Structure formats: C-alpha cells, structure tokens
Amino acid sequence: MAIMSFIFVFFFFSSLQPILSLYEDQVGLMDWHQQYIGKVKQAVFHTHKTGRKRVVASTEQNIIATLDLRRGEIFWRHVLGPNDVVDGIDIALGKYVITLSSGGSILRAWNLPDGQMVWESSLHGPKHSKPLLLTRNLIIEKDNVLIVFSNGRLNAVSCIDGEVLWKKDFEEESLEVQQVIQPPGSGFIYVLGFAASSQFEMYKINAKNGELLKHESTAFSGRFTGEVSLVSSETVVALDSTGSILLTISFHNGKISSQQTPVSNLLEDSPGLAVIIHPSVTGIFAIKTDAATIFIRVIGEGKLEVVEKTNHETVVSDALSISEGQQAFALVQHAGSSIHLTVKPAHDWDSNLLKESIKMDQQRGFVHKVFINNYIRTDRSHGFRALIVMEDHSLLLLQQGAIVWSREDGLASIIDVTTSELPVEKAGVSVAKVELNLFEWLKGHVLKLKGTLMLATPEDIAAIQHMRLKSSEKSKMTRDHNGFRKLLIALTRAGKLFGLHTGDGRIVWSHLLQSLHKSESCRQPIVLNLYQWQVPHHHALDENPSVLVVGRCGPSSDALGVLSLVDSYTGKEFSSLSLVHSVAQVIPLPYTDSTEQRLHLLIDADKHAHLYPKTPEAIDSFQSEFSNVYWYSVDDDNGIIKGYALKTKCSSNVADEFCFDSRELWSIVLPSESEKIITTATRKLNEAVHTQAKLIADQDVMYKYISSNLLFVATVAPKASGEIGSVTPEESWLVVYLIDTVTGRVLHRMTHHGSQGPVQAVLSENWVVYHYFNLRAHRYEMSVIEIYDQSRADNKDVWKLVVGNHNLTSPVSSYSRAEVITKSQSYFFTHSLKAIAVTLTVKGITSKQLLIGTIGDQVLALDKRFLDPRRSVNPTQAEREEGIIPLTDSLPIIPQSYITHSLRVEGLQSIITVAAKLESTTLVFAHGLDLFFTHYAPSRTYDSLTEDFSYALLLITIVVLVAAIFVTWILSQRKELQDRWR
Amino acid sequence: MEKGKGVMGAGRRWAVDFSDNSTAPSSRDIPDPPGFTRASVDQDDSAVSRQKKDAEANWKSQKAWEVAQAPFKNLLMMGFMMWMAGSTVHLFSIGITFSALWQPISALQGVGKVFEPYKDNKVDLLGPKLLFIALNLGGLALGVWKLNTLGLLPTHASDWVSSLSPAQEVEYSGGGIPL
C-alpha cells in the first residue's frame, strides 16, 4: 500500500506543471550573487574634482571595469570575449575610456560614467606586431588624437568619433616596433624598434599627417632581447639577449648614438640573466635578476649609476606626473607581515614623498602590481593612493597607511569547487554572531503576522523584507537540519583556497597554499584540482573534514606532483607532500579507512598507480578490493582510450608497497582521420539513484542500466573541430559512444551526420544528454540517450518478486555482459551552451532537471521530462498519465525557469550541484567571473513548509480556537443549568 | 441493504406473536419443568397448530430466500456506480470502491444475524445462506476488480520493483583525460 500511495503521490506531483519561478520579494532569500573582475592588468585613475572618483581597470580575464574609489564597487563592467584580449586602456578627453584589444586590431571608446560604447574602429595592418597605445594631449586641427601602433601600422585616430586621420605602414619584414614616443610639446613622433634583432631603427614621423621625417638605424653586434625602457624623451635602454650588456641609445635630434655597459661593471657579483622592468620614469630604469632588483640611473651621455639594489621582492609603479615637470613613482617592498609603500620623485632618488608601512595579510602573498594616483591634501601637499594587485589576484586600495578597501578578485578564476559540511552545533557553544533574543523573535513574528494579515505599513514591509534577507539563521556557522548551510571550498588559479558560506556567500576563510607556493624545489607550481579527502559522518565525527589539493611543479605532464591537505573548518593546511612522481590522474576510490579518509589512486605519467593515504590500514582495505579496481585514460590528442587493471607491486621502485604496476586490458583506437575526441562525460561519483526500475505506461517496467563505470565520449570529424560553419554538412559528423570502462565494451554508438561540436554533455543515472550544432538544420540540438538493461526485463513474475526470489539486487559485474537497449531522441534548442549540469538530490527520488548555462550567462532549468526518448506526437492515455509530454521538435524555454532570475553569471564556466539533506532541494553554485548560489527544488519543496509560512498565525489560530472552545463550553453549561432550573 | 433490514425487522415482530417460544434457543437454557416432556407436547399438538407451523416455516424459508437475494440488487447498483465513477484515481472513485469493498465484508460478518429470525427446525437455511454469501463474495470481487482497474492492487511486477535500489557493482573504474 505504501508503494501504491507513493506512486499516487508521485503521479499527483508529476501531473502538476511546476511553477518554479520566484516572486519578486523572494529574490535574495536563498540566492546570492557576487561580481568580480579578475586579476588587474592595467589601471587608470579618474580623479577629477567633479563627479565620483573612479578607477578604470583592465584584467587578464579581458574585462574592462570602472570601480568606485571609495568602496571598490563596480560601476560598470564589460566582458570582452575570450579572444578579445585587452592590450591597453586609457582615459581620453576626461570622459572616454579607450581600450585597444584583440592584438591591437580593435579600438573602442566607452563613455566613462555609464560604460556605453561611444565608437569602435578596427585597425588592420600589413602584419602582426606588438600593439601600443599612446594617448597624450596631442591635438591636430582642434581634434584630440590617439596614436595607436598595431599590426605594423601607425594610426592616428580621432578621439571624438574613432575616425582614422592618417596611417603609416611599417612593412619592413623583420622590424619589431618597441616604443612609440611623442615628446611633449613637439609635433613629431618617434617610432623605435629593432630590425632583425640586431639593428636599432628610429623613425621620426610628423604627428600632423604621418609623413616620415627621418629614418636612422644603427647596428649592434649582439642581439636584443626585445624589451626597451624609455628613460627620457630621447634616450632608451635595452638589454642584449645574453642579459649581460646594457645599451644606452640616445637619438637626440635624429642622431643615434649608443653606448654599451656590461652589467658586471655595475654590479660586483655577476647577477646572472637580467630582465629589464621598465617603470618609464625619467632617468631611472630597473633590471631584475633572480636575486635582486637593481635600480639604475642614467646620468649624462650614457653614463649609468646604480642607485639601489634590493634583495626583496620589489614592485615599481609607472611614473605619475604630479606637477609641472615633476614625476613620481611608487615602490612596494615586502618586510615580514607588512609592506612598505614608498613614493619617490623621479629626479631625486634619496628623498621620499611618502613612506608608509601597511600591515598586510600573509594570505595575500606578494604584491604583483602597483598603480598610484595623487591628490592634493588640504595643506596643498601631495597625497598618494596606491592600488595594488596581490599574488592571489586580490585588489586593494591603500591610502594614508591603511587599506581602504579590498576585493577578492581571485574568485573570478575558480578552477574547482567542492563542498564541506559545517561543524555540528554543540550545546552551550554559541556560534552565531547575532543570536536573536526572545523579544526580537517575537517582534519579528508579529511583523510577519501583520504582513500576512495585510495590516503592515510600507515601513513594516520593508522591515520584514530586511529581516528575511538578513536572517541570521542562514548564515550561522553550524550544520542545519536541512543541509542548506555548507561551506563551498573554491580553488582559484592563483593557488588560493576560499571557504565560502552558502548562506550569504561571505568568505569564511581563505588561505594561500604554502606548499603550492613558488619555492626552490617547485619553480612553477600549478594547481590542478580539488578532491574531498575526508568526509566524516558516522564514527569519526570528532575529526574535521578535509580536502585534497593536487598540484604539480611545472606545466609539463611529467612534472612532480604536490599534494596538500587542508582542514575544511579552518582552511589551515595540516599536511603537504612533495611527491616523487608526477600526477597524470587522480582517482578517488569508493573506499574509506576507519577515520573516513577516502582512498585515492594517483596515476603517474609512467602509468604506475600510487595509493594514498600511505597507511597500513589503507593498503589493507585496498588489498581486499585490489582485483576489482580498474582505471582508464582518454588520450584526446591521438584518439585512444585505454583501460588498465592493477598488477603487482612496482617493479622499479625499491620496496614501495603503495605503488602498483598497471596492466593494459583493452584499448579503443578511434580512426584519427575521421574522428577526434572532443568531450567526455561520466557520472558523478556521489550521485544517488533511488531505483533501478523505470515504470512505464500500463504498469510495465524497464530496468535502467545503472553503472558508475559508464563513459560518454563524443567525437567529431577532425575537419569539423573548428568553429561552427567552417565545414559543410557533408564533411562533418558527430559520433557518440557509451563505453563500459571496466571491459572496454562499447555499449552504444551513434552517428549524427551533418553535426558539429562543441559538445556539452551530462551523464546521470542511465541517461546522457548532449548538446551540439546541426549544420543541416542550422540550429543547435540536444539529444538524449537512455540505456536499459534488457537482460533483467524478464523479471516479471509477481510471485517471485513478492517472496524476494530474484537476483535484481545481487552485485553485478561488468563481465556479465548485460544485454542493453538504448532509446534516443533529438530536439532543437535555441541557445548555445556554456555549461550543463543536472540537479542532484540526496536520495535521488526527486525528478531531475537539467541546469543549462546559456550563452547569455544565465542558468536555465529544463525538466528532464522534455528530454524523454519515449515522447511521441500523440501519447496514449496511459502515457499521458505517466507524464509523457507530446513530442515537439524544439525544447521550450520557459522564461520563469531561469534560476538566476534577472542576474547574470558573467563568463559562466561551470554549474555545480550539491544535494541538501532535504530530498526536494538541490544547492546550485554557478561560477565564472561572477559567483551565483541558490537553492533549487526541481519538484517544488514538497517536504517542507515554505519559508514565508507564518508560524505565528498558526499558533494564534490554535490559541483562539482553544479559547473559543472553552468559552462556548462554559456558556453552554450555564445555559443548561438555567434550563434545568426553569 | 436497507430494504433487507426492513424485511428482517418485520419478520421478527411477527415471530414474537406466533412462534412457539419453546423452540427459541434462549428458552433452551432453562430446564423443562419436571414431568414435562417436549415430545408429548408435540404429540399433543392438534392438526391445526401443525398446519399453522407448516405455513410459518414456509413463510420463513420464503423470507430467508428473499433476504438472501437482497445483495443482488445491491450488486447491480454498485456496478452502475462503479461504471459511473470511471477508472481514474480520484476521491469519488476511491470512495465508491472502498464502500463496495466494505459493504460485502460487513454483510459477511453479520451472516448469522441476518438469518437469525428465520431460524426454524423445519426451515433449511443453508441454501439462502450460501446464496447470500455467494452474492456478497460477488460484490467483494467486484470491489477488488474495481480496485485493480484503478491500479491500486500490487499485481504487476512494477509494484514490487519500483523502489528496488540499484544493484551494487563489483568492479570500480575511474580515470579520464589526464590532468
């Protein structure tokens, strides 16, 4: 009966068309949204007296943003495409932000106050070259002009409308232009560069019309490294390719004179290979060696003098002209837990305009960049503010010795995310920052009641809304009953680990991983991935959960690996390992030891498997499952998928009992001339599946083929692996495979002719949904494949099932070769996709919805029922009862089902779903440049009261009813008595 | 059923007036007075009273048959109601089905009571009782059939496997594109 009632309820719910949209006042209750800009590459201040003070920044994530200088908030922000790299920004005319992007071929002007694009012009030229943007107050015939050198062409562009006033080509093949200089007040432009790496070239151009005035060149015996530093308006310094000779080149009045100074002359100890860092400060340049940064002053005719040599990490800002003819620049140096900010005038090294020491969080690492800006204090002296970019990509504004604001822009480049539970609430330990007292609680409920009874004034409504949004319940630091409060642990590209609270998105802790920091043993650390190492629940509750961060020293795949174990509650790194082998793959195994540490298998480049943690207990529990552990690797370059089993202990290593050799079991070689692997997808390890049976119309049953060893592979024709539309439909195809990774058996193969990638796929339970482009129909398509186990289908005898005489729950082996059938169907879909995920609930009972990251950076929920291969144009009555939707050629996009509602997750990269403890609810976290988090209930919250349920109203109703019962009882008693007396 | 009860009630009132109390089971508990033998009383009965008794027994068996046939009408009505209720699961059809199941069951429980007024040495109640039981069982069967058509009986394999958790896998395989 319970089964029947469940089915009844299920039908009841599935027959409802769920309304999943939010009401306006529900925005922000369950969701939060954070905006970031990424690591700042270049920043320009705009601090005129009128209007709000702001800073314009371009970042490595190709964003142009203006930030409020007071608080660091974003005024406006534009995300240029991934191929539209910003080369330079500047402010022109005090009202336009000029950006040069795409290797110098696109010049745009944006309106500074609101970020609207004013004009755009594309600058093309004869050849590719380093793009240079120059904005000085150059005026040609009352027109402010930008000088842009890009693609081998010098352009003068009008600031007003982006019109190219004149252009001059530099077609010489080997010419590499390094600098474009316009001496202030002069009417000409110098274009400096190297030809054939050994010849210095100087062109003098008339700024009015682009006419070549003079061309000089001088040869140099060595070769140039490329970088030049401009030390005055007519002198540059360059370094030769060996890094040992400094060249001072001056081109006064068009005459080139050069002077060579060996670096060793300036420094007693030979510093090794040096690099010029150009602060572009008059008279001073800096070279950087491995050990030190050396500041060198140019005095007179090519004479060089070392002014300072610092062994610390030092960062120099560009020059800032503070008054007529006076320039200043900033130096930032580290000293222990604080940083020293020094602002010096360009002409006098020994004096300081400003010297401040600021306490800096160690977890931010070194300073990477500094930008300065000045302001006039009330006593007419100069004050300076500095914008610094730290190693963890965070952005800070320093002013008057303090940090005015900071932005955690490292969160714009999240590599991987996992979640962790919060600590259990212990009796007597208050963990909430603001515990509500009874009075406040009562007041809140009275307000809510007023709202329910429509008695609330507008102020009350505002107060209720504020109370709902700022509920301390959701941001407590303890586990809650519904499993909504968790820690999101995010690993960023900078190697910093963040713990974010799911309630309000605040950063609970953040740590720069020390083991993945640049060091002697690890020159070029790269963080790779994040895994759950220890998830204590049953018998190890006193242990803190922890995560595993995997990194490697160097970009190549055979570089040595680094493991770091981080406590999820505190973010402290409690253990780190420098491995003696490389890390090609990390395989979390479904086994844990007695302290709930998950066993992990690390595969190195030589295909040895290493077991972690390296404890005797781990090896004991692993030995018992040894013969059942397999692994596979997908070589997408060569189109080979190989499966391995573990063999004996490593033969090469000396007595390492945690190392195992691999034995190749099977391989699938795809023909390289016709197929290229572009996407793979597997099931999530932690996905719960409620049932293996799928009930279909007329009480029939199909058995799902549920295997965690299922791999989805999509291949396209090699020709068609480029952009959409680069091939004709005839020479383009998409082939999808479903492969069992234990035996290498191809369970299903299907070809979509005339289709092309990119393919986005998600595999869950027994189905896979993938998205691709159909060239014939000129539309995007989504397909679904469902896979069923036919060999179980004859389990139809009710009596056998009643008495439990069946083998449906006995363990299955991939070697038993289940007979499978697949069903598939395709539909048109309007959007192109950035990411796709599926909702995940704790027991897998709730119906699934697909979460689609659209090209518009929003997350759209699409019911899986729309992607059911059993849909037909005219479903029978029984099928309709089952919930099958009549077939349509395209999938509907219901505007209310955007779970990001009005927000956008700029640069959306991936969508992560985590099950809450409440079966109906999934936690959804979408990240890209922005972060977005919300709760989502695919079949509505059928297992809990809604958040706006008024407990007070219920309570009052009960009290009133009880009182009414008493009163009427007394009255009736009295009346009865009177009646009897009568 | 209401009609049946009416018939039965009337019969009882009549029975009080005309029947011989000595045959009533309740009087059997009291021992006969000394010197009184039941057989002699029977023998002493006049032909008139015998005739009377015969008529009464006839009447009783006739009534008993009537009572026994009463569920048939009920059955027809129930069938009509079920047909009206349709085959989809909703409040009305569920109510009808459950009342269709409950009525025969409660009637079967009270078989003895229903036929109590017609109990007579000379009346054979087995036939009517069997008919009554058979008709009620028919009603029950109709109810069960309706339950089945509504899909509320676990008669299909799907009802037993719908929450069967997936089988455990022996092998485990992991991996993917190298990092």
Side-chain angles (χ1 to χ4, degrees), chain A residues 42-44 56-58 64 86-91 97-100 133:
Chain A
Q42 200 183 347
V44 183
V56 183
S58 72
I64 306 156
V86 183
D87 303 306
I89 58 167
D90 212 333
I91 293 177
V97 176
I98 307 290
T99 64
L100 184 67
L133 174 69

Side-chain angles (χ1 to χ4, degrees), chain A residues 3-4 529 552 584-585 588 628 630-634 685 691-692 695 699 707-709 741 798 802 808 810-815, chain B residues 88-89 151-179:
Chain A
I3 307 167
M4 300 321 303
N529 244 334
R552 101 166 34 124
Q585 287 192 41
N628 290 328
Y630 299 81
W631 66 277
Y632 65 95
S633 75
V634 180
L685 194 63
T691 173
Q692 55 173 298
L695 307 186
Q699 313 254 307
S707 166
S708 56
N709 303 326
T741 54
V798 178
V802 173
L808 289 175
S810 53
V812 288
S813 164
S814 291
Y815 288 105
Chain B
T88 49
V89 179
L152 296 180
L153 275 191
T155 51
H156 293 90
S158 57
D159 300 318
W160 296 93
V161 296
S162 64
S163 58
L164 213 58
S165 58
Q168 215 187 337
E169 278 179 286
V170 177
E171 292 94 355
Y172 177 78
S173 172
I177 297 173
L179 295 169

Side-chain angles (χ1 to χ4, degrees), chain A residues 252-296:
Chain A
H252 189 66
N253 286 336
K255 286 267 184 289
I256 299 179
S257 59
S258 71
Q259 202 147 10
Q260 296 184 15
T261 320
V263 176
S264 50
N265 281 14
L266 298 167
L267 301 164
E268 293 77 34
D269 49 339
S270 181
L273 199 72
V275 187
I276 284 194
I277 50 174
H278 50 107
S280 73
V281 181
T282 311
I284 292 173
F285 69 98
I287 55 173
K288 196 177 172 178
T289 63
D290 288 342
T293 309
I294 302 130
F295 293 92
I296 300 165

Side-chain angles (χ1 to χ4, degrees), chain A residues 199-218:
Chain A
Q199 201 164 332
F200 182 78
E201 304 268 341
M202 190 274 289
Y203 296 88
K204 193 177 177 183
I205 308 276
N206 187 344
K208 295 260 186 304
N209 50 20
E211 194 187 323
L212 180 66
L213 298 175
K214 198 174 258 179
H215 174 213
E216 291 277 333
S217 71
T218 176

Side-chain angles (χ1 to χ4, degrees), chain A residues 429-442:
Chain A
V429 182
S430 170
V431 277
K433 277 190 182 138
V434 209
E435 285 281 9
L436 286 177
N437 58 31
L438 188 70
F439 175 69
E440 274 175 17
W441 183 86
L442 217 65

Side-chain angles (χ1 to χ4, degrees), chain B residues 65-94:
Chain B
W65 279 110
E66 264 178 38
V67 169
Q69 282 166 9
F72 182 68
K73 288 177 206 161
N74 231 333
L75 208 68
L76 288 180
M77 199 179 70
M78 217 66 226
F80 177 71
M81 296 262 278
M82 282 177 181
W83 177 70
M84 290 293 282
S87 63
T88 49
V89 179
H90 50 79
L91 202 63
F92 185 60
S93 63
I94 293 220

